[in-house]
Amino acid sequence: MDTGFITLMRKLAPDLTEEMTRRALILERISVLQPVGRRQLAARLNLPEREIRNTAVLLKELGYLDLDASGMSLSRKAEEVLDSAREFSKAMNGLTEIENRLSELLPVDRVLIAPGDADDDSQVLSDVGRICAARLRTLLQNGNTLAVTGGSTVAAVARNIQSATPLNVMVVPARGGIGRSVELQANTLAEEIAGRLGGHYRLIHLPDHMDAAARQEMLKMPEVQEAMELLERADVILHGIGVAAETMRNNRNMSRALQAELLQKGAEGESFGAYYDRNGKCLMESSSVGVDLARLKRTCRMVAAAAGSSKAGAILSVLRNTPHAMLVTDQGAAEGMLRILSE
């Protein structure tokens, strides 16, 4: 949305701009939470319930809302303006400007930001998943191979994927399958995403961590070789990003001495089992069976999804190491990254 037009609106009609912003925000939130009651929505938006009620009445009169005993829902007519309302709400809250700024400062083609901070509100993680799922669908074409990691953010993306028509894609896990909760494993999410897209999948039934000798033996298995060959031909890779210290604590295979050494060297972020410092230097490569970034084809597009202000430094460390086609994050992490970059 044109920032000059937004500035003009604020100068000429600040009262109308405020009301339009509130209506756009309420429409956007109802689309995510529907059906939702006024009290619940007021709590989510930190607005007086009276303002929610008044705006809801106006939106209903315009034909954009349906009201019943279960709460407020968007009408079919609202779908005509929903995308524009989302963009307007982002622009008015300064998120569009932050998206553009981060894409200029980092080696990432497109940055998309969900409002809020996932560290404070679990709903924000779902919003990040919804935004990423919609954009991911536009990157994929019939015949593509999609590789995915595990984790809570990628799981949020998987839950939000919708496909009106089946898409003939192959989905493979980007890492071995053991080492975290089953519902968050790369294998589980690869199968779920393939099902939602109407595509196919292959699994890697191997521990996420093993010694070099065992790894070489496992790589000789035909089913593992097939999955690894698919990984090397991946057209799109969707992955999460972890905070190094937190990921280390949850890694039972990493000694305390190694954890201390990595943290002393400045480890900030983790992705694909590798650890990076704030400048993007890889401090320790992954020992797991999974994608080898150095062997990917040049046209492979990397998509990172991570949320929460606590992940700002971790996201920067990973993005500075590897150029990305897209980053989907939240306001808390985005503002944190800008603060770090301004230091």
Side-chain angles (χ1 to χ4, degrees), residues 37-234:
R38 291 195 300 264
R39 184 171 301 176
Q40 180 186 357
L41 185 60
R44 286 284 186 184
L45 297 178
N46 195 26
L47 291 173
E49 188 176 347
R50 172 179 52 81
E51 289 188 16
I52 299 293
R53 182 178 63 251
N54 294 340
T55 301
V57 169
L58 289 170
L59 290 174
K60 184 178 185 304
E61 291 176 353
L62 291 170
Y64 297 133
L65 285 189
D66 292 329
L67 305 177
D68 55 32
S70 61
M72 300 176 289
S73 301
L74 296 189
S75 67
R76 288 188 177 182
K77 182 180 178 180
E79 297 299 326
E80 301 172 2
V81 299
L82 183 56
D83 287 343
S84 296
R86 284 174 175 156
E87 291 301 316
F88 182 78
S89 181
K90 281 176 54 175
M92 294 306 297
N93 287 311
L95 298 187
T96 303
E97 183 178 350
I98 296 176
E99 289 175 345
N100 294 335
R101 184 65 176 149
L102 285 175
S103 65
E104 292 172 356
L105 295 171
L106 297 171
V108 56
D109 297 334
R110 183 76 188 274
V111 178
L112 298 168
I113 301 172
D117 188 339
D119 288 351
D120 300 326
D121 184 356
S122 59
Q123 178 61 43
V124 176
L125 186 63
S126 179
D127 292 347
V128 170
R130 172 180 55 78
I131 293 170
C132 187
R135 294 292 180 174
L136 180 67
R137 179 63 178 79
T138 65
L139 292 178
L140 295 170
Q141 299 177 358
N142 284 314
N144 279 175
T145 296
L146 167 66
V148 300
T149 66
S152 57
T153 312
V154 176
V157 178
R159 288 192 297 268
N160 283 278
I161 287 179
Q162 299 178 4
S163 184
T165 57
L167 191 62
N168 182 25
V169 296
M170 175 63 72
V171 187
V172 292
R175 295 184 64 182
I178 311 299
R180 60 172 78 222
S181 302
V182 173
E183 66 274 12
L184 300 181
Q185 289 179 12
N187 274 335
T188 304
L189 298 180
E191 181 178 359
E192 180 178 355
I193 291 172
R196 290 180 178 273
L197 289 173
H200 315 279
Y201 64 91
R202 296 289 185 273
L203 304 180
I204 302 178
H205 293 294
L206 295 176
D208 201 27
H209 295 277
M210 61 181 71
D211 60 47
R215 184 174 185 273
Q216 289 304 313
E217 287 301 313
M218 291 294 188
L219 288 174
K220 296 177 182 178
M221 299 170 62
E223 60 270 30
V224 176
Q225 287 182 349
E226 180 191 16
M228 297 304 293
E229 289 172 2
L230 287 169
L231 279 176
E232 290 184 16
R233 299 200 305 267

Side-chain angles (χ1 to χ4, degrees), residues 301-336:
R301 288 164 292 182
M302 301 286 291
V303 177
S309 54
S310 60
K311 287 192 174 182
I315 296 171
L316 282 178
S317 71
V318 173
L319 292 182
R320 283 172 162 171
N321 178 269
T322 307
H324 278 62
M326 185 166 66
L327 165 67
V328 186
T329 187
D330 65 2
Q331 185 175 356
E335 291 177 345

Side-chain angles (χ1 to χ4, degrees), residues 329-343:
T329 187
D330 65 2
Q331 185 175 356
E335 291 177 345
M337 283 187 278
L338 282 183
R339 284 194 294 270
I340 294 172
L341 290 168
S342 67
E343 293 176 355

